[in-house]
Amino acid sequence: MSREGVDHALRTLREEHERIADSLLEVEAHQGYRLLKGAVLSGETWRRWEETQRRLERLWLLFDACRQVVEAAERLRARRSRPDPATLAELTELLAGPSVEAPEGEIPLEQRTLLGPDRRRLTLNEAVATMEETFDRVVEVVVAADAAWTALLVPLDEVEGDWREAARLAQELDGARRPEIDRLGRELTAFGRLARTDPLSLVRDGRADTSRLDRLRDALDVLRESLGEAVRLKEDYERRVADLRASVDGVAEAERLAARARDEALRKIAAPVPPEPGPSRAAALREQVATLDGLRRAGRWTELAGRVTELDAAARRALAQARDEQRLSTGLLDRRGELRGRLEAYRAKAARLGLVEDDTLTTLYKRARDLLWSAPCDLRRATVAVADYQRAIKVRESEAGAGR
C-alpha cells in the first residue's frame, strides 16, 4: 500500500469503528435490550437471549481486537511522516492482511484440531463483515422481543384489570365463588406468565399472537356485563320489576285495542279477513314475572338478571306484535276509506269532462260504490271495481282528445 493508501485506510477505519461503537452502545440502550437483561426469562426467549448475549460478547471482543490492530497501525504510521517500504509493507499486513485474532468460539468445528484450535485470524474487512452479520442477529432478537412485549403487555394489563373487576362485582353481588371466574383467572395467569417471561414463543409470522388473550377478553366482557347487570338489578330490584309489570300492562292494553280493531274490521270488511290472534302474550308474561320473586329469595341474582333482561325483550316484542295486529285491522278500514275517496275524486273528474251521463261510467261507478258502501265490504272486489272505473274514464278522456 502507498502512504496515501495507508492514510486513507486508517481514516476510513477510524470513522467505521466510531460508527460501530455507537451502534453497539445504542443496542445496549435499547428498551428491548434493557427488558431482556432485567427480566426473568424462560423457554424460547431465554434460549435466544442466552445466545444473543454470547454473540454480543463476542462482538465486543472482536471490536476490541480490531481496535487494537488499528491503534497498532496508527502508532506505526506515526513514527515517520514518510514511511519506508518495510514500514509500508508492515502497515499493509496490518490493514489488509489477517491481522485480527477472532474471539474463542468463532472457529467452525470442521476447522478445529485434536489438540485445540489455533486462533482464527481475520482481515479487518472480514472482521467488520463478521461484526455486521452478528450485529444484525443481535438486533433481530432485541427488536423482536421489544415488539412482542409492546403488543402483549398493555392488553394483558387491561384484561387483568377486567378480571379484577369481574371478581369485585362477584364479591359485591353475593361473595360466592364462581367457577367461571376462577377458570378465566387460571388461564389469564398462565398466559401472563408466558407473555412476561417468554414473549418470543408467542410470535407467529413476525407478530405477537394475541388471539388467546382476545378470547379471554371477550369471555370476561360477557361475564362482567352479566355480573354488572346483576349488581344493578340487586340495587334497584323493586323499580325494575315495577317497570316490567308496567310493560306487561302495556302489552295487555295493546292486545285489547288490537282485538277491538279486529272486531270492528270484521263487522265492516268481508275480505281480506284480519288474522286470528294467538293466545294472550300478556298473560304468559305475567306468569313469568310472578316467578322472579322466587329467584330473588334464593339469591340467584345472575340468573335473575338474565330473566329480567329476557322478559324486558319479550315484552317489547309482544307490544310490537300487538300493535302490528292492530295496524293490520285498522289498515283495512283505512284502505276502504282511501278507495272511497279515490272513487269520488274520479267521479268529480268525470263531471269536469262532461261524462256524468255516460252509461258505461255510471254502471261502473254504481258497482264500485255499492261494494265500498256495503257492510261488510269486499275490499278485493272493490279495489278491482275502482280500478275499472278509473281506466274507463281515461279511455273516454283519450277518445275525447282524439276527436278534437
Side-chain angles (χ1 to χ4, degrees):
M1 296 177 69
S2 65
R3 176 171 59 86
E4 292 78 8
V6 167
D7 290 343
H8 176 74
L10 284 172
R11 196 162 49 249
T12 301
L13 285 167
R14 279 194 297 270
E15 294 172 356
E16 200 170 60
H17 283 207
E18 286 177 5
R19 291 197 299 273
I20 292 172
D22 289 343
S23 297
L24 292 175
L25 292 174
E26 286 177 10
V27 167
E28 294 187 348
H30 192 280
Q31 175 178 280
Y33 178 90
R34 295 199 305 271
L35 288 172
L36 284 164
K37 190 172 183 180
V40 177
L41 302 176
S42 64
E44 174 73 6
T45 306
W46 175 84
R47 183 189 65 77
R48 293 180 66 181
W49 174 235
E50 288 290 302
E51 184 179 326
T52 297
Q53 285 182 296
R54 290 193 295 271
R55 285 197 175 112
L56 191 58
E57 181 182 1
R58 290 198 299 271
L59 204 160
W60 276 111
L61 290 173
L62 186 56
F63 172 75
D64 189 58
C66 290
R67 181 184 57 78
Q68 292 179 29
V69 171
V70 172
E71 288 177 352
E74 287 178 333
R75 287 193 298 271
L76 182 59
R77 173 66 183 88
R79 290 177 187 172
R80 295 182 181 180
S81 60
R82 293 183 175 277
D84 56 25
T87 302
L88 288 174
E90 190 175 351
L91 286 168
T92 300
E93 180 65 20
L94 287 171
L95 298 175
S99 56
V100 180
E101 280 195 2
E104 292 288 350
E106 291 292 330
I107 303 176
L109 179 62
E110 64 272 14
Q111 297 179 18
R112 302 186 184 191
T113 65
L114 180 61
L115 298 177
D118 293 328
R119 290 287 185 137
R120 182 185 177 197
R121 303 185 71 82
L122 306 170
T123 65
L124 284 168
N125 286 339
E126 290 171 340
V128 170
T130 299
M131 283 190 287
E132 286 180 343
E133 179 183 356
T134 304
F135 179 79
D136 290 343
R137 298 177 75 177
V138 167
V139 168
E140 179 184 354
V141 173
V142 170
V143 170
D146 183 48
W149 267 320
T150 299
L152 291 167
L153 294 186
V154 172
L156 175 61
D157 286 344
E158 292 173 353
V159 176
E160 288 174 338
D162 291 344
W163 184 88
R164 289 191 294 271
E165 174 65 10
R168 183 192 67 77
L169 288 170
Q171 183 65 32
E172 181 179 342
L173 188 61
D174 53 23
R177 294 192 61 178
R178 283 173 168 73
E180 181 68 2
I181 292 181
D182 292 342
R183 181 186 67 80
L184 291 173
R186 290 191 297 271
E187 288 189 32
L188 187 57
T189 298
F191 182 86
R193 186 182 303 113
L194 190 64
R196 291 185 173 95
T197 66
D198 191 11
L200 294 180
S201 68
L202 296 170
V203 174
R204 306 284 184 272
D205 299 324
R207 299 180 63 183
D209 181 5
T210 62
S211 58
R212 183 175 165 190
L213 188 61
D214 294 338
R215 287 193 296 272
L216 289 170
R217 185 201 301 274
D218 292 342
L220 282 167
D221 283 346
V222 172
L223 186 59
R224 283 191 307 122
E225 179 59 30
S226 172
L227 290 168
E229 179 61 25
V231 169
R232 289 190 292 273
L233 178 63
K234 183 179 180 181
E235 294 171 347
D236 200 17
Y237 175 78
E238 296 299 336
R239 185 192 63 80
R240 289 285 300 276
V241 173
D243 289 346
L244 186 54
R245 291 195 177 102
S247 297
V248 174
D249 290 342
V251 172
E253 176 63 12
E255 289 178 343
R256 186 187 67 79
L257 293 175
R260 188 173 71 179
R262 184 176 187 275
D263 290 342
E264 183 179 1
L266 288 174
R267 288 194 306 272
K268 296 179 179 181
I269 306 296
V273 178
E276 186 75 26
S280 171
R281 290 175 287 269
L285 287 168
R286 280 200 181 94
E287 292 177 2
Q288 295 177 65
V289 171
T291 67
L292 297 179
D293 281 339
L295 294 175
R296 180 186 63 167
R297 287 191 295 270
R300 294 156 62 180
W301 289 104
T302 305
E303 182 181 351
L304 182 59
R307 292 292 299 133
V308 169
T309 300
E310 291 172 2
L311 289 173
D312 276 336
R316 287 194 296 271
R317 289 194 301 270
L319 181 62
Q321 290 169 354
R323 287 173 175 171
D324 286 343
E325 291 171 358
Q326 181 183 2
R327 279 192 291 270
L328 284 173
S329 297
T330 57
L332 294 175
L333 296 173
D334 292 342
R335 174 63 175 163
R336 186 188 66 170
E338 187 268 332
L339 286 172
R340 285 178 173 180
R342 185 187 299 180
L343 179 64
E344 294 306 312
Y346 276 102
R347 186 167 184 268
K349 181 177 182 179
R352 289 196 305 274
L353 295 172
L355 301 173
V356 173
E357 303 299 327
D358 187 292
D359 292 339
T360 301
L361 292 179
T362 300
T363 300
L364 290 172
Y365 170 77
K366 184 176 184 306
R367 179 168 172 266
R369 193 178 191 288
D370 288 345
L371 286 168
L372 284 170
W373 268 266
S374 63
C377 166
D378 189 327
L379 274 182
R380 294 193 181 98
R381 293 175 61 197
T383 300
V384 173
V386 171
D388 290 343
Y389 182 60
Q390 177 183 349
R391 280 194 297 272
I393 291 175
K394 288 183 178 179
V395 169
R396 293 291 188 273
E397 184 180 14
S398 178
E399 291 172 349
R404 288 195 296 272

